[in-house]
Structures are given as C-alpha cells and as structure tokens.
Amino acid sequence: MTTKVLLFLCFWLTATGTAYSQGGALDSLGRRFGRYQQAALHEKLFLHLDRPLYLSGETMWFKAYAVDGTSCKPLLMSTVAYVEVLDKANRPVLQGKIPLKQASGQGSFVLPASLASGVYTVRAYTAWMRNFGPEYYFQSPVTIINTSTASGVAVSKDSTAYDVQFFPEGGNLVQGLSSKVAFKVTTKAGTGAAAEGKLLNQSGAVVATFKTLRFGMGNFTFTPQAGTTYTAQLTLANKQVVKRKLPPVYEQGYVLRLESRGANALALYVSATNTQPETVFLLAHSRQQVVVAVKGQLLNGQAIFPVDASQLADGISHFTLFNADQKPVCERLYFQPPKTKLTINARADKSQYTTREKVSVDLGAVAANTQALTANMSMAVYRLDSLTTAPTTDINSYLWLASDLKGTVEHPEYYLTATSPEAAEAADNLMLTQGWSRFRWEQALAPMLAAFPHLPELHGPLVQGRLTQAGTNQPVKSILTYLSSPSRLIRLQSALSDADGSVRFELGDLYGAKEIMVQTDPQQDSTCRIELFNSYSSQYAPAATPRFAPLIRFQQDYAKRHFQNQVQNAFADRARNRYLAPVVDSLAFYGKADETYLLDKYTRFKVLEEVMREYVPGVLVRIRKDGFHFLVVDRLTRSTFNDNPMVLLDGVPIFNVNKIMAMDPLKIQKLEVITSRYFHGLAVYSGVVSYTTYKGDLEGFKLDPRVLVQQYEGLQGQRDFYAPRYDTPQATQSRLPDLRNLLYWNPAITTGTAPTKLDFYTGDQAGRYMVVVQGLVSNGLAGSASFTFEVKPTL
C-alpha cells in the first residue's frame, strides 16, 4: 500500500473531538456529524496568480497549494489540480490539468489573442473537491484586456447600478421576535458602497435607521409584526435613492442571536414563537471539528447558551440550532483571526534601480517566536500602472477566511490584521452577509452516508466512463474494459465495470494532448456502448465577477500596453514556449520483459509470421480454422498456455491476431514478450506480446471500429519562465527591446534557516514595480509579503 493511500486512510479514520455533550439525541447529532466529517476529508486549493490584469496574448502563470482544510497543512492526497478560466457566462475558455507533487504544482496559460476584454474567473479544484459543490472551489477574478479590438478601448462611464441584499440573523424574520438584519450594498464592480437608510413599514412609518460600516455592510435590529411588509429605503453616496423589500416575515419559527460578553465570552440567545417548553440543541463546529454540543430548554420561547470562545478553533465557527426533532432551524457564523502568524521577510537590496540592472531579493519566513522556518514559496514581480490596481489574493486570508465563505470577500486581509473594535463588528457583518455551510445537513445527518461519486486522484488523472447496452442504455456490469494511448511508453489500464456500468482508469503521468482508446474484449462482449465522462466540473458557483467597463481616461494606458505587448510578441515569442521535459517512468506497465528483440539487429523478413517463427521461441504460432493464434510458453513450467496472450501494438490491445499478423514487420522496431501468466488488476493474461513501432503511432494500423477513440488532454507540461539576464556588457548593450510587464516569476522557492537570495534584472520600462510573495509552512502557517521598488531611466 502506497504512502498516499495510507495518508488518505489516516485522514478518513481520524476521530473528531467533542468539547462537551449531553443527552442521547445530542450524542447522536455529534456522532453523525463527526462521522460525516471523517469521511468528507476537507481539501482546499489556493492559486497564486502572477498578477491581477493581463492582455490577450500574454501568459498567465500560477502556483497551486493544496492543504487540509482543518489544519491548513499541506495535504499529500490529490495529484491533479484542475484549473479553468471562465468567461462571464461561466463558459471555460482555457482548461488545464496541473500535476501536484508534495502538495503543490505550477502551470500557465497563454491567453488567446482572440479573447475579448472582460473580467474572467480563474477557478481551481481537485476531483475530490467536486463532491462538495462549486462554491467550495478556489475562485479569483482577473481582468483581461484585448487592446487589438475596440473592446479594449471602449468609452464607458463608471457604473452607477447597485446591488442591495438583506440577511436576517439566524436565517429568517419571525413575527414578534426581535431580529438583527445585516445588509450589503455593492456596485457593479463588486466593491462595497457607502449608504444610509431607513426601514419603512407598509404605512410609510420609520421602523429603524441604519448605515454602512465597512465595505458596504452594516446591520440594524427591529421586531417584525404580523401582517406587515417592510421596505428599506437607502440613500447612496451619489444621492441616488434605492428601495428594496425585506425578506418575508414568518408566522412561526426561531431566531438565533449571537453577542459578545467580553474577552472569550459569547452568548447565543434563542427566541421562538412556541411558548411551550421545548428541547433544543446547539451544535458548533470549528475547522470541521465539533467543539460545542449542548442541549437546552426553551421556556416561554427563550433560551441562552453561553459559549467559551477559547474552545473555538481559529477561523470560522458554525453554530447550528436544532429543534426537538433534530432538524436544523437556525445557523450563525463566528470568526476569530488565527492567533499564530507567519511573517515573510522580503526585501530588495535597493529601493531604486536603473534599466537593465540586477535586483537581489532576500526571502525568509519566521513565526511569532522569530524562529526561521522552511517554507514553500512563490514570487511574482510586475509593473504597476493605472490599469493594474486590483489587489491580489493572499494565501493566509484565503485559507482562514475567504475559502469558507460564499461569494467574493473584499479585502479579506483586513479581517486578519485589523484589531480595532470596528474590525470585530465588520467581521461580524461579513459572517452575517456571506456565511454558508459547505454541506447540506440532510447529507451530514443521514442514517447512512452516501457514497462520494468522485474519488481522490492519488496517482494521476482518473478517466471515468460507463458501459451500456446498445439501444437500451441499460448498464452493463462485470465487463473487463481496457484504456490505452498509442506511444513508445507502453501503458495499459484495465477496469471491471461495476453494477451501474461505471469504469475508472488511472492514467498516471500522461502529459499533453493524446489519443486515448477504450475497448472491451470482443470474446467477452461485442455490443456494449462506451461513454467517457468529462474530467472537468460542469457545475458553477453563482457568478460574482464584476462587469468590465473600460474608461476613456485610460485610453493612453491601453495604447501603451498594446505597443509593449506587440513588441514583446515580436522579439520574445519563441522564448515563452519552452517546456521542461517531465520526468516520466519509461518502463512498460509489465516491467522488464522476459524476451526483448530489436528487429533491426536481425535479418528482416517481409512477413510477420516468419519473424515470430524464426526469432521468438517463447511464442508458438498456430493456425486454426479462425486463423492465427499465439501460444506463449510458460518459462516457469515449460508448458504452453491454451489461450492467446495479451497482444499489444504501441500499448493498444489487439484482440484479432490475424490483423496483427497482416502488418508489415518493417514498421516494427521492437518486440517484447512476457513468458508467464501476468496479473493486471482484475485481468489475467496468458503472457504478453508487445510490438512497438518506430514512432509509437500505430503506423496506420486499422483498429476495430468498436474501439472508442477520443482526444484527451493529459497533464500540463511545465512551461519554462524566460527572462533575459544582463550580466555581461554585451547583453546590457543589446539592441533588442525589453518591454516586459512581468519581470520575474518563480513558483518553486524553498527557504531555510538562512535567507534565500533571488536575482533578476529590470527591463527597459521605467516605473514602479510590485513584488508579491506567498508562502506556506509544513505546520500549516501561511503568509504573504509585498513591497515596491522604482526603476528610473538610464541617463
């Protein structure tokens, strides 16, 4: 059993702790939730994008970090990250499978020159994460500008449309029960907007007044009355007046209110319309671990649950109220910033440089005790201008905050760094307006756990498909199915269809665009239909990307960036498509062959039958009524197998020996034979006979028409980041222009006890440059750092 499988099983079996619990029903809630969380291992991805804005035709670079969602430690489980660029209609314009090694990976996309200007969404996920919904994927908006078309320089006014939403604390407004209502006001660009307002009943009387605090969020408290509808009237900063109706008021129900009672002291107040005594349960989980499980009695519709905040883990805690029937009726989120922080020290040797000058940056990571730590880091250096104004997402605030909330969190780093009372209230407003659960309670508390349809990819991409009866679409079970891809690297996967006809193939280190071929043995089945499923997720979170609105005041900036991009494409285009050769296992799936024949070393025959009879003593050629048969001589018993061996051509199974015998032997370079019974998963072969052509492309061999042939994009190769070095007088005096916007990108930095020094060179563009560093330590500490430096023209 491999280390990754053992690690996955360890996570699966890890017990979930309970701070305290009371009562059989409460124990049942805690047990079922803990059981679900043990099975639903929490995995997160973070993507460090090299910059927030691109031009069509430029290269987007990124680094992926995979972590355990409970501890934020690197998670060595998934070996593939799926990265997509989506347009505003959630259509993927770019897709890639990024190999993950030691819980991290790197990749890139060349943005097509035909991409229209707009705000796109970059999202990333693993196959395992697909079990828990698209809201849980990593998502980040990026701006792409096409300066070659009118869409890149269109004249547009700043948007004045606003989105206003209201969120009752706990979930619902209930008549006669005092409720806190949070609200959020955002522009079309997705940023919070300041506003003041008042709440009016249906008679026009003012019930409450309110105003935003930070990032367009705020709250107010009122008691809704029976048979009354409420309208909020808001006055925005531009004096625009907006009216919105509040959510409906229910006649019966529960209200949950959370209040702080001082340091580490919280209280949750429950109100209900039912004045009869009732048992209710409060369950709280932090970072997927149950930390509070208590029951209480509603007396006259009221109950109070005191909570010690020191029991809660760092990050977001979920409080859920269950009624006597163990049905969830209210939910409330609470956030406390992580107590331990990672500090990344990043500084350049100077604050100002000239063009084509060397820049040296020292990197180091320390914890609160100032002890230097070994960290996995990535660093980008890009030019700042009026177009590049959006902040980049930092890994610490994403892992501890933004990844557990729905929608886009504006300036998430604020909630982890600010310490004022206003910051605590702003964080509470964020919990009220953007809180969500990553699972449905009916799934978590079901008597039997449902199977997860997407397995973790422990050894490369999984290709999933289904066998059905032709014409009826009924599943076909217990059929051996084979997947292969023609190549000089002999790979073959086998799978047995299960009760619903599903088959799964593990492709390992298959890189680049390939043809994959799926088939069954015609002696076992000759009529079933084979369908392969798309490896990418077809589910999408609600669109939260702001609308792109190019402004007239940036026309000169568009023109300048367009010129720079065209120059770079003209003089440095070849350098940007250099790939590092991936390290792959060249050994065939069956290992070292018992017999290997390089046919060029032998006298060449024109008929393959002569080759087999003259040179291959381990395979007997026999002719029966239906044609040729191969009988492998077992080297262990010296007896002859009665069945045909597995015959392969460039790794593709050929079940008709007559067709392989009709092939021109001059097209075959190598022949390998396994002279023993070979066990391949659930398949058993009476030996293996493997032919390899010179190019590994089948040399025009006509396959059986029942074979499903499909184009497949394997793992993405690693593109080499190129940047010129001006370390000699000749290089410095080169007349080739250097108008790079991205000076440096390094996704594979490891720091140690001593500072790590990185060197790169400035280009020909003067201006201010931003250095952004993201980092993660094996103990789960994450951090980021950024600074700027100036480049002055050479005098």
Side-chain angles (χ1 to χ4, degrees), residues 55-380:
L55 300 191
S56 299
E58 290 185 331
T59 301
M60 173 190 294
W61 304 84
F62 49 84
K63 164 77 172 286
Y65 296 84
V67 303
D68 166 30
T70 299
S71 63
C72 291
K73 295 180 180 179
L75 182 57
L76 307 178
M77 183 177 72
S78 296
T79 58
V80 183
Y82 295 84
V83 181
E84 300 178 278
V85 179
L86 309 177
D87 65 12
K88 62 182 180 181
N90 278 336
R91 292 185 296 256
V93 296
L94 291 165
Q95 295 177 315
K97 301 180 182 75
I98 310 304
L100 297 177
K101 297 180 180 178
Q102 299 301 311
S104 66
Q106 53 185 291
S108 60
F109 289 131
V110 175
L111 303 176
S114 59
L115 276 185
S117 296
V119 178
Y120 292 75
T121 298
V122 178
R123 74 171 185 171
Y125 51 91
T126 65
W128 179 250
M129 290 169 63
R130 291 180 63 182
N131 293 305
F132 309 105
E135 295 86 359
Y136 189 57
Y137 303 165
F138 172 88
Q139 293 197 138
S140 178
V142 297
T143 301
I144 299 176
I145 299 176
N146 191 329
T147 56
S148 300
T149 65
S151 64
V153 294
V155 177
S156 175
K157 297 180 180 180
D158 291 331
S159 174
T160 55
Y162 295 88
D163 181 42
V164 182
Q165 299 182 68
F166 293 89
F167 306 88
E169 183 175 19
N172 296 317
L173 293 174
V174 182
Q175 65 179 31
L177 302 181
S178 177
S179 296
K180 179 186 288 187
V181 179
F183 63 94
K184 185 174 185 179
V185 184
T186 55
T187 67
K188 280 291 185 181
T191 58
E196 294 185 354
K198 52 189 175 182
L199 183 64
L200 308 175
N201 62 18
Q202 59 194 29
S203 302
V206 177
V207 177
T209 59
F210 52 86
K211 66 178 180 179
T212 54
L213 177 66
R214 266 189 173 272
F215 309 127
M217 293 179 288
N219 68 78
F220 58 88
T221 301
F222 84 111
T223 302
Q225 300 301 320
T228 304
T229 58
Y230 296 91
T231 302
Q233 179 176 299
L234 296 91
T235 303
L236 304 166
N238 62 356
K239 305 303 181 183
Q240 180 181 351
V241 176
V242 176
K243 293 183 178 181
R244 294 289 187 274
K245 288 188 177 297
L246 257 62
V249 178
Y250 292 89
E251 294 182 1
Q252 304 289 328
Y254 302 79
V255 169
L256 181 66
R257 188 175 81 255
L258 185 148
E259 291 186 2
S260 174
R261 288 181 167 180
N264 291 330
L266 301 175
L268 286 105
Y269 296 86
V270 180
S271 301
T273 51
N274 181 15
T275 58
Q276 297 299 315
E278 180 186 1
T279 301
V280 291
F281 308 94
L282 181 70
L283 189 71
H285 60 95
S286 299
R287 313 299 294 179
Q288 291 66 61
Q289 294 186 354
V290 176
V291 292
V292 173
V294 291
K295 72 175 181 179
Q297 285 292 121
L298 280 174
L299 300 177
N300 294 321
Q302 302 291 323
I304 301 176
F305 292 95
V307 174
D308 183 357
S310 63
Q311 293 184 50
L312 307 178
D314 292 344
I316 293 177
S317 297
H318 295 248
F319 293 95
T320 305
L321 181 72
F322 296 83
N323 62 13
D325 296 326
Q326 300 184 36
K327 302 295 184 184
V329 292
C330 291
E331 185 173 66
R332 179 68 155 88
L333 270 61
Y334 175 77
F335 174 72
Q336 56 184 15
K339 302 175 184 64
T340 306
K341 298 180 181 179
L342 179 70
T343 300
I344 294 180
N345 295 320
R347 66 176 185 274
D349 54 342
K350 296 193 299 183
S351 61
Q352 185 173 305
Y353 300 87
T354 59
T355 56
R356 302 196 177 190
E357 185 179 358
K358 181 179 178 180
V359 180
S360 293
V361 175
D362 286 338
L363 287 182
V366 297
N369 56 6
T370 69
Q371 177 185 1
L373 300 173
T374 299
N376 179 15
M377 294 188 182
S378 47
M379 186 174 89

Side-chain angles (χ1 to χ4, degrees), residues 375-397:
N376 179 15
M377 294 188 182
S378 47
M379 186 174 89
V381 183
Y382 59 90
R383 187 174 181 270
L384 292 174
D385 56 25
S386 56
L387 302 180
T388 313
T389 57
T392 56
T393 304
D394 75 278
I395 186 171
N396 195 42
S397 63

Side-chain angles (χ1 to χ4, degrees), residues 659 703-708:
K659 295 186 66 174
L703 296 169
D704 190 303
R706 298 183 316 104
V707 178
L708 174 64

Side-chain angles (χ1 to χ4, degrees), residues 449-530:
L449 288 179
F452 295 113
H454 303 285
L455 297 178
E457 296 178 320
L458 305 177
H459 304 286
L462 282 175
V463 171
Q464 301 189 64
R466 190 166 180 256
L467 303 185
T468 55
Q469 293 178 352
T472 66
N473 207 33
Q474 293 298 311
V476 181
K477 68 176 182 178
S478 302
I479 298 295
L480 271 172
T481 311
Y482 303 92
L483 182 146
S484 54
S485 178
S487 172
R488 290 184 56 81
L489 300 177
I490 309 303
R491 302 282 189 266
L492 178 65
Q493 306 294 331
S494 65
L496 189 70
S497 59
D498 58 21
D500 65 352
S502 296
V503 288
R504 295 180 178 90
F505 304 97
E506 200 169 55
L507 296 190
D509 52 1
L510 185 69
Y511 281 83
K514 304 288 184 183
E515 273 189 341
I516 58 174
M517 301 175 180
V518 186
Q519 58 184 307
T520 59
D521 187 339
Q523 292 185 354
Q524 187 185 19
D525 170 85
S526 60
T527 61
C528 72
R529 177 176 176 270
I530 304 172

